[in-house]
Amino acid sequence: MTAPALHPFIKGHGAENDFVILPDPAGRLTLTPAEVIRLCDRRTGLGADGIVRAVRCAADPEATAMTEAEWFMDYRNPDGTPGAMCGNGLRLLARYLVDVGHHQPGTFLIATRAGVRQVHVPDHTVPAPHPHRGALAAAAQRAR
């Protein structure tokens, strides 16, 4: 990973699929397939059905042309391959963007490799338990 030794993450689930969200607004994080596989491993990593890197469209070469959306969903399958999109991961990303204040509740657009998708996050949600939060270095320590 070409990132600081500690990188924040959020782990959450959408319709029984769990994902690790890696906030990367400036597009500085580069993930190799091997790193994605290690992170998704349920025994030695964080355990997930996929990785969602939350990056601003302007900061990612794959998304700079999708100017109608501010955020790009860089989805990675647990085998390390880039995915076009994942509906449950998209829902989780949309909720994350609202919860951390990157977007207002309501209808907005998120860019994916499958094109720009419209999402809706209501402003009247039932409070849920906080998702797991941590830093990637903690998972790396457990794997040693």
Side-chain angles (χ1 to χ4, degrees):
M1 239 182 272
T2 57
L6 294 175
H7 190 85
F9 71 90
I10 303 290
K11 185 170 182 194
H13 68 88
E16 299 185 21
N17 291 123
D18 60 333
F19 302 92
V20 172
I21 294 182
L22 299 176
D24 186 26
R28 294 189 179 119
L29 183 64
T30 302
L31 294 172
T32 66
E35 289 166 336
V36 172
I37 291 168
R38 279 197 305 272
L39 288 171
C40 290
D41 189 285
R42 295 196 183 277
R43 292 185 177 187
T44 60
L46 297 172
D49 292 314
I51 303 291
V52 176
R53 187 174 64 101
V55 60
R56 284 198 163 85
C57 289
D60 192 288
E62 286 189 80
T64 54
M66 295 186 246
T67 57
E68 62 271 38
E70 180 182 357
W71 291 92
F72 175 60
M73 175 188 183
D74 177 12
Y75 177 68
R76 307 296 177 99
N77 293 302
D79 65 1
T81 59
M85 193 201 68
C86 173
N88 290 335
L90 182 64
R91 271 202 289 287
L92 185 65
L93 175 59
R95 178 83 258 168
Y96 162 78
L97 292 172
V98 169
D99 285 353
V100 299
H102 288 312
H103 218 286
Q104 294 296 314
T107 301
F108 57 98
L109 302 173
I110 296 178
T112 73
R113 288 186 183 90
V116 176
R117 298 294 188 248
Q118 181 176 299
V119 296
H120 181 79
V121 179
D123 60 358
H124 57 278
T125 57
V126 176
H130 291 287
H132 301 288
R133 297 175 188 213
L136 293 181
Q141 283 296 102
R142 286 195 318 258
R144 292 183 186 168

